[in-house]
Amino acid sequence: MLYIGIDAAKDKHDCCIVDSDGEFKCDGFTFANSKEGFEKFLEIVKQSLSSKDKIIKVGLESTGHYSTNLLSFLNSQGFEVVVFNPLSVNRSRTANSLRRTKTDKNDSRYIVQLLMSGNFKPYHKQSYHILRLKSLSRARFRLVKEIQPLKNRYRRLIHLLFPELQGFFCKLDIPAVITLLTALPGAKDIAACNITKLTNILSTASRGRFKRAKAEALKQLAKNSIAEYNRGDAFELKITLQRIQFLENQKAEIEAEIRNVMSEIKSPVTSINGVGDVLGAAILAEIGDINTFSNSAKLLAFAGCEPSTYQSGKFTATNTPMVKHGSRYLRNALYLAVKSAYLHSPSFRAYIDRKRAQGKHFYTAMSHGIKKMVRVVFAVLKRNITFTEPI
């Protein structure tokens, strides 16, 4: 058997090859992240093969997009591939040396050591739909993170240009308010606007909900505003709203694409109350193949939602934080799913309320809700059954 450890990087990959007897066939060679580099790698692997080497096992770190193309190439060559968590490689490096030395060459050796230990699970190529959902869900996650600071800036600018608007409309992110402030970004602009034009703006944007009486009340409110008009702030408000609308439209396009994929795979995960297509897609994309996990506790650990443990001598800590070493995308999706399930699922509401009644902090109760959600998701996907509320 031939063991190959690869430390993947952006432009090149460091490789180490060892046979089953522990003899280094090739130590510390580098090949480029290109077609020519991959062909060079194959040539060196062929030269390292002996008559007794029937199986080739390749190990590499999960380094995001840097290892994606390499992983696809290795699978196409029929190699048995193992993808290690970078944390495992880091702990192996720490355990093997007291020196603070990290090099790509050494990392490839530590990956080979982990590979030879046999404490791993082979990599299973994910289906086309799962890979597609992962790309879409993570793109949506990044868009939401990008939109939130813009919305915070939007509220700050409103406080400067028209603070009284906060209580006049039920929400500041409804289409009527966004259209109004894009055309008239400050209290001074609204106060100076013709009442007919103002009525048309509000009526059109609200689809007839807001009429002349609403426009007159808004105009009077603007006249009595304490805001000091600043053209710079007004201009920033307009372009901030344009950016928010652009990103929101992109998010809507991604969500439509997610729903199309979810309609094709018809996963039972969406039968859980509070888990729709968007959250269901994020959960499915990060879990991948549910058969990778033998029980729900391992799925919880993969999400990084299990509590950490600290015990020394006679002392055992009872108040410990989450590990948070797993997929942050899955962790975020599970948290949002629990928040939604609290509103739509009687069993989840009763469970979380019971934890709160026991004196637990809100987020502690929510962490228990996440554990319950993981157990439900695991059972639904493992058995391929729809979720039904317990009586």
Side-chain angles (χ1 to χ4, degrees):
M1 185 178 293
L2 209 61
Y3 298 96
I4 304 174
I6 301 177
D7 183 70
K10 180 181 178 182
D11 300 318
K12 52 90 178 177
H13 309 299
D14 289 86
C15 182
C16 177
I17 303 177
V18 180
D19 63 15
S20 54
D21 296 327
E23 180 183 347
F24 284 90
K25 293 288 186 178
C26 190
D27 184 21
F29 81 90
T30 301
F31 62 97
N33 187 27
S34 63
K35 184 178 180 181
E36 292 77 13
F38 289 174
E39 290 173 353
K40 175 186 174 183
F41 166 77
L42 282 180
E43 289 177 7
I44 294 176
V45 171
K46 289 177 182 177
Q47 293 171 8
S48 303
L49 282 171
S50 62
S51 57
K52 62 179 181 179
D53 295 325
K54 303 292 185 182
I55 302 174
I56 301 175
K57 289 189 177 181
V58 183
L60 67 158
E61 280 184 301
S62 176
T63 53
H65 61 282
Y66 290 150
S67 60
T68 301
N69 294 327
L70 175 61
L71 185 59
S72 177
F73 169 75
L74 294 171
N75 281 315
S76 69
Q77 297 300 315
F79 297 149
E80 185 177 328
V81 184
V82 179
V83 180
F84 291 105
N85 189 318
L87 186 62
S88 300
V89 180
N90 181 55
R91 286 179 174 171
S92 175
R93 179 172 57 248
T94 305
N96 281 277
S97 175
L98 295 176
R99 296 177 177 177
R100 291 191 174 184
T101 304
K102 183 195 180 301
T103 64
D104 294 338
K105 181 179 178 180
N106 284 340
D107 283 350
S108 64
R109 291 174 179 171
Y110 295 132
I111 291 171
V112 163
Q113 290 177 9
L114 286 173
L115 196 61
M116 295 180 72
S117 70
N119 187 23
F120 58 81
K121 289 185 178 180
Y123 171 79
H124 296 286
K125 188 175 181 180
Q126 295 179 336
S127 69
Y128 165 75
H129 289 103
I130 294 299
L131 289 173
R132 192 174 166 193
L133 284 178
K134 179 177 283 189
S135 297
L136 291 170
S137 298
R138 291 188 174 187
R140 182 187 177 277
F141 178 87
R142 288 188 287 269
L143 270 182
V144 170
K145 291 292 184 184
E146 194 174 345
I147 291 170
Q148 193 54 53
L150 291 174
K151 288 187 174 180
N152 293 339
R153 196 178 308 163
Y154 164 55
R155 294 188 186 94
R156 168 188 169 274
L157 290 168
I158 285 180
H159 191 75
L160 292 173
L161 293 165
F162 197 173
E164 295 82 4
L165 197 66
Q166 181 79 41
F168 187 77
F169 292 99
C170 58
K171 292 182 179 179
L172 292 177
D173 56 355
I174 59 176
V177 178
I178 292 173
T179 304
L180 170 70
L181 293 177
T182 302
L184 306 167
K188 183 179 179 181
D189 298 314
I190 295 173
C193 182
N194 180 274
I195 189 62
T196 303
K197 180 182 177 181
L198 185 60
T199 302
N200 288 336
I201 292 173
L202 285 177
S203 180
T204 303
S206 66
R207 297 182 180 180
R209 181 184 172 190
F210 298 142
K211 302 189 183 299
R212 187 181 178 92
K214 187 77 171 179
E216 290 175 345
L218 178 62
K219 188 177 177 71
Q220 186 61 41
L221 186 69
K223 287 180 179 179
N224 297 328
S225 176
I226 61 170
E228 182 178 350
Y229 190 76
N230 183 312
R231 285 188 178 275
D233 290 337
F235 182 77
E236 185 183 2
L237 177 60
K238 290 177 71 172
I239 62 172
T240 300
L241 284 172
Q242 290 170 2
R243 290 176 65 189
I244 290 173
Q245 286 180 299
F246 175 74
L247 293 175
E248 287 286 1
N249 290 336
Q250 286 192 326
K251 183 162 74 76
E253 287 183 30
I254 291 176
E255 290 174 353
E257 191 67 20
I258 287 173
R259 291 188 180 96
N260 289 336
V261 179
M262 292 296 285
S263 66
E264 292 177 13
I265 62 178
K266 295 180 174 60
S267 172
V269 74
T270 54
S271 65
I272 303 171
N273 291 344
V275 179
D277 286 335
V278 173
L279 286 177
I283 292 171
L284 286 177
E286 297 305 318
I287 291 175
D289 184 6
I290 191 64
N291 294 317
T292 307
F293 306 95
S294 58
N295 54 57
S296 61
K298 291 185 178 180
L299 179 56
L300 186 72
F302 175 73
C305 295
E306 64 174 355
S308 55
T309 304
Y310 184 85
Q311 185 271 332
S312 179
K314 295 182 179 180
F315 173 75
T316 301
T318 56
N319 187 15
T320 55
M322 278 186 181
V323 176
K324 292 188 179 180
H325 279 163
S327 168
R328 63 170 178 157
Y329 302 103
L330 178 57
R331 197 159 52 246
N332 178 73
L334 289 171
Y335 175 74
L336 294 177
V338 171
K339 284 183 69 177
S340 182
Y342 182 80
L343 300 175
H344 300 97
S345 171
S347 60
F348 272 92
R349 175 181 282 272
Y351 183 77
I352 294 173
D353 285 345
R354 187 162 63 250
K355 295 297 179 182
R356 292 284 284 145
Q358 292 171 3
K360 298 186 184 297
H361 189 274
F362 171 76
Y363 287 111
T364 304
M366 289 297 288
S367 69
H368 283 278
I370 290 174
K371 290 180 188 177
K372 179 179 174 67
M373 179 61 72
V374 168
R375 291 194 296 269
V376 171
V377 168
F378 180 81
V380 164
L381 294 180
K382 197 78 168 179
R383 302 173 190 172
N384 196 27
I385 56 174
T386 58
F387 173 75
T388 53
E389 283 286 339
I391 300 175

